[in-house]
Amino acid sequence: MDPVIVVGAGPVGLTLSLALAAQGVPSVLLDEGPGTEEVRLARTVVLREGTADLVERLGAAHLEKDGLRWSGWRSMRRKQLVRDVPLGPGHDGSRDTGTSGDVRDVRDFGDAGDSDARSGPSLPAPLHIPQHALASALRAAVAAAPLVKLVPLSRVDTLEQDRDGVTVHTKGPGTTWWRGSYLVGCDGARSTVRKLLDIRFPGRTAVERHAVAALRAELPWPGEAVLHRQPPWRGGGAEVSARPLPDGVWRLDWLLPPRGELVTPEALIARIRDTLAGWCGETPPYELLDTGVHTLHHRLARRWRVRRAFLAGDAAHLLGALGTQGLDEGIRDAENLAWKLAHAWHHRGGDLLLDSYQAERRAAVAARLRAADQSLPILRGGGGLRTLVPGTVRGHDTLLADGHLGRGALGAPPSYSHSPLAPPHAEAHTTVGTPPGAPVADVRVTAPDGTAVRLRERLGQGHPLVILVAPGTGVWDRRHWLTAGIMPRLVEAVEALPSPAELLVTESYPGASAHTVLLVRPDGHLVAAFAGVRPAELLAAARAALGGTPGAGGGDEGGESDENGESGESGESGGSERRAARAPGPRERVHADRSARIN
């Protein structure tokens, strides 16, 4: 099999190539740039707990040195603290917000009579990191991955597909043709791949504009992210946020009016001084490190798959208003697509599995965009009855907090409950704390060899997971696991699955009773839970989750999907025996002569 061609070496393309390599799939990573990252502290990204763990598992080292996991989230309106939320482990959900205070000491902001100026249960802490630092860490991991060939200064200008693969031509110092089994365009908002595939990219332009500054200063809330709406000082604008980075560095964002206010250096300096004085009583010493203007667009590609070519990241979608995170969604694209491409690459998987990438991820991003578009008029419109309705301020704050904290319709991890890979309901299915299609809880699990790890550490290896809930297993003699209790039947059922799966055991799982068996996809989404060992039902669910039995009934791998993720016409299956028996045509012989492959 030819390698997968990944076009674009930003964080999404780098993550996809590493995820493919982790599952034994080679890739050629075509980078239009020189292979270096421009240092921009005003250009940062926020990764949710799951996506940050993913890139770390793939080899991106030292993220905790270059980025910072927030210890809390503080939301203010005028002189009032609206919400104070602890983040990360070690919080008991009880934080004193103080009493009503003066704007000069925001650490004591709050109103004892405001029921929402309180903390709730601790939430996972997102990772805030400069984008160049994240990309550099991923590039270092790629350099150490023998299955990834990174080619700088390679701009794609031609893309051709046939039944057996994809051929692209690149311009640059090493102008050449490349041959791949599949191709993924991760080449950003102005994607060349998307244009060559003739895919429309409709949406809204300049949904939000922000003036941005990165500076080093001492602010009153070390380690906490702050969102301040309608700050009470002159020139405060509608909204300003402060998000911490290591070494006392902060990224500050000011929401700009929708109609093109010019941000001059003098105006930005005035904003910085007024904002710091409003928060600290007077303008403290600060070091200005970087500035910029960030314009956010909302767009969604009509199709994410055309035969053997796919789109991911900004090439497929743009979002970011109200705290939603476009790069975080792009990394989720890479995680979702990687295991499906790997399964198809190794087992000649069919169309249903590959089509499910568009069906799942496009629907998830579309839902996120709908939620943002519905919230924007409420949060940015202002005036009218909305400002007079009791509870409106708290409701608005909740909407904004959802996007920034990764919860609710604007930020929660996606659930693929309506996926084409979902198995039909069976009587043997049981209910646990995780609904089918949602990400599983990160419980501690033990492998039969006695290795005890977090469940998330076993993801991304290209095979499904089968988890037995067995209280008391902490005292088992691990030498006899496979012969104890119901384990022999479960081992036999797992060995009969259509694809190799890893069998794990956990002491407990939220909402699950003893002897519950969970089937989990390679990307950590729950397929189904069963009351006990049910070999026939487990087999049926595994087949559905893998898009059908490998090599049977899957149709042509090069089948074309429509914009709803449904497969169009399909031809023969591209199996190795059939490929060997058919002589290549003239065009294919030319491509074979010109192609560069990984040996």
Side-chain angles (χ1 to χ4, degrees):
M1 290 282 286
D2 294 318
V4 174
I5 298 174
V6 179
V7 181
V12 175
L14 293 163
T15 299
L16 178 61
S17 284
L18 289 169
L20 289 170
Q23 298 170 58
V25 178
S27 63
V28 172
L29 184 55
L30 301 178
D31 185 1
E32 184 177 333
T36 58
E37 302 296 331
E38 180 186 8
V39 177
R40 290 294 310 275
L41 288 174
R43 190 179 186 189
T44 64
V45 296
V46 177
L47 299 181
R48 312 299 185 204
E49 183 185 41
T51 48
D53 285 354
L54 170 64
V55 296
E56 288 177 334
R57 290 198 311 271
L58 293 175
H62 309 303
L63 295 188
E64 298 291 345
K65 174 178 69 70
D66 297 315
L68 185 71
R69 293 187 186 268
W70 301 337
S71 61
W73 165 265
R74 184 176 292 256
S75 177
M76 296 180 286
R77 183 176 181 270
R78 295 189 179 131
K79 295 184 178 182
Q80 183 179 10
L81 175 65
V82 180
R83 184 159 294 141
D84 187 8
V85 181
L87 301 174
H91 293 291
D92 61 4
S94 58
R95 179 180 293 187
D96 182 12
T97 60
T99 58
S100 296
D102 187 273
V103 72
R104 301 301 183 183
D105 189 358
V106 294
R107 286 167 292 188
D108 292 329
F109 263 16
D111 186 340
D114 183 355
S115 61
D116 267 11
R118 65 180 188 275
S119 57
S122 180
L123 295 172
L127 175 71
H128 185 214
I129 185 170
Q131 184 165 321
H132 72 265
L134 173 63
S136 296
L138 289 167
R139 283 184 182 272
V142 162
L147 288 180
V148 183
K149 179 181 179 65
L150 193 151
V151 187
L153 301 174
S154 297
R155 178 178 176 82
V156 173
D157 62 359
T158 304
L159 189 159
E160 299 174 355
Q161 298 194 62
D162 54 58
R163 185 171 57 186
D164 298 324
V166 183
T167 305
V168 298
H169 180 264
T170 56
K171 294 192 299 185
T175 297
T176 189
W177 290 86
W178 301 87
R179 179 69 174 174
S181 53
Y182 300 96
L183 177 141
V184 186
C186 305
D187 49 342
R190 295 180 174 86
S191 170
T192 299
V193 171
R194 188 183 64 241
K195 294 171 185 175
L196 291 173
L197 294 173
D198 195 24
I199 296 175
R200 292 181 58 208
F201 198 38
R204 301 174 59 192
T205 300
V207 177
E208 286 186 350
R209 294 173 63 245
H210 294 259
V212 184
L215 53 87
R216 183 177 283 109
E218 185 175 344
L219 297 187
W221 333 272
E224 295 186 29
V226 178
L227 178 68
H228 198 157
R229 301 179 64 213
Q230 299 178 9
W233 52 84
R234 180 180 59 84
E239 181 180 296
V240 58
S241 63
R243 288 174 279 190
L245 289 164
D247 302 324
V249 176
W250 295 80
R251 169 174 165 166
L252 273 58
D253 288 63
W254 293 267
L255 179 65
L256 297 173
R259 288 191 166 78
E261 174 184 323
L262 181 63
V263 183
T264 64
E266 295 78 10
L268 185 56
I269 292 297
R271 283 181 182 271
I272 294 172
R273 295 180 62 84
D274 290 346
T275 299
L276 296 182
W279 283 337
C280 303
E282 60 182 14
T283 303
Y286 69 91
E287 179 185 1
L288 185 59
L289 304 172
D290 193 16
T291 62
V293 174
H294 186 33
T295 303
L296 298 167
H297 312 283
H298 279 180
R299 295 187 179 276
L300 184 65
R302 290 290 190 188
R303 300 161 69 185
W304 291 25
R305 180 192 179 197
V306 177
R307 299 169 64 193
R308 288 177 173 268
F310 301 81
L311 299 178
D314 285 355
H317 53 77
L318 295 176
L319 69 162
L322 307 180
T324 55
Q325 298 296 324
L327 180 55
D328 195 76
E329 293 295 337
I331 291 176
R332 285 172 172 155
D333 296 343
E335 182 181 32
N336 185 288
L337 182 57
W339 76 268
K340 296 170 181 178
L341 283 177
H343 190 82
W345 195 90
H346 287 296
H347 304 290
R348 307 296 197 272
D351 259 346
L352 181 61
L353 181 64
L354 297 177
D355 275 343
S356 70
Y357 165 68
Q358 173 175 299
E360 292 176 353
R361 290 301 305 148
R362 189 178 187 277
V365 174
R368 197 84 80 209
L369 286 170
R370 281 194 301 271
D373 287 342
Q374 291 167 1
S375 302
L376 276 166
I378 299 173
L379 294 169
R380 305 305 190 210
L385 293 175
R386 285 190 293 271
T387 60
L388 304 177
V389 177
T392 298
V393 171
R394 292 188 291 273
H396 290 184
D397 175 75
T398 298
L399 284 173
L400 284 168
D402 283 350
H404 287 274
L405 296 178
R407 61 187 186 185
L410 287 175
S415 177
Y416 306 133
S417 57
H418 299 293
S419 168
L421 304 181
H425 180 74
E427 290 186 6
H429 291 180
T430 189
T431 301
V432 297
T434 302
V440 291
D442 189 25
V443 297
R444 182 163 291 278
V445 296
T446 307
D449 64 359
T451 305
V453 295
R454 305 300 301 184
L455 175 56
R456 192 175 285 147
E457 296 177 33
R458 311 306 294 178
L459 302 177
Q461 301 180 36
H463 50 248
L465 306 177
V466 177
I467 304 167
L468 172 66
V469 180
T473 53
V475 298
W476 283 11
D477 185 344
R478 294 183 176 90
R479 293 173 298 174
H480 306 296
W481 269 25
L482 300 184
T483 60
I486 64 173
M487 285 296 287
R489 289 184 60 221
L490 184 55
V491 169
E492 184 178 352
V494 171
E495 289 177 346
L497 296 181
S499 177
E502 183 174 20
L503 177 58
L504 304 168
V505 178
T506 183
E507 288 262 3
S508 63
Y509 188 89
S513 57
H515 296 170
T516 297
V517 175
L518 309 177
L519 177 62
V520 181
R521 297 184 350 174
D523 59 353
H525 288 258
L526 180 66
V527 178
F530 304 92
V533 180
R534 303 296 185 96
E537 291 84 352
L538 181 64
L539 176 61
R543 282 177 171 165
L546 296 171
T549 303
D556 177 23
E557 293 170 302
E560 187 169 338
S561 305
D562 67 14
E563 66 183 74
N564 295 316
E566 297 174 352
S567 181
E569 293 184 1
S570 59
E572 293 181 328
S573 174
S576 57
E577 297 83 4
R578 184 176 293 108
R579 183 181 307 179
R582 181 176 57 84
R587 183 170 63 87
E588 292 171 306
R589 283 197 295 271
V590 171
H591 291 165
D593 293 338
R594 293 174 174 173
S595 296
R597 293 181 171 84
I598 293 179
N599 293 323

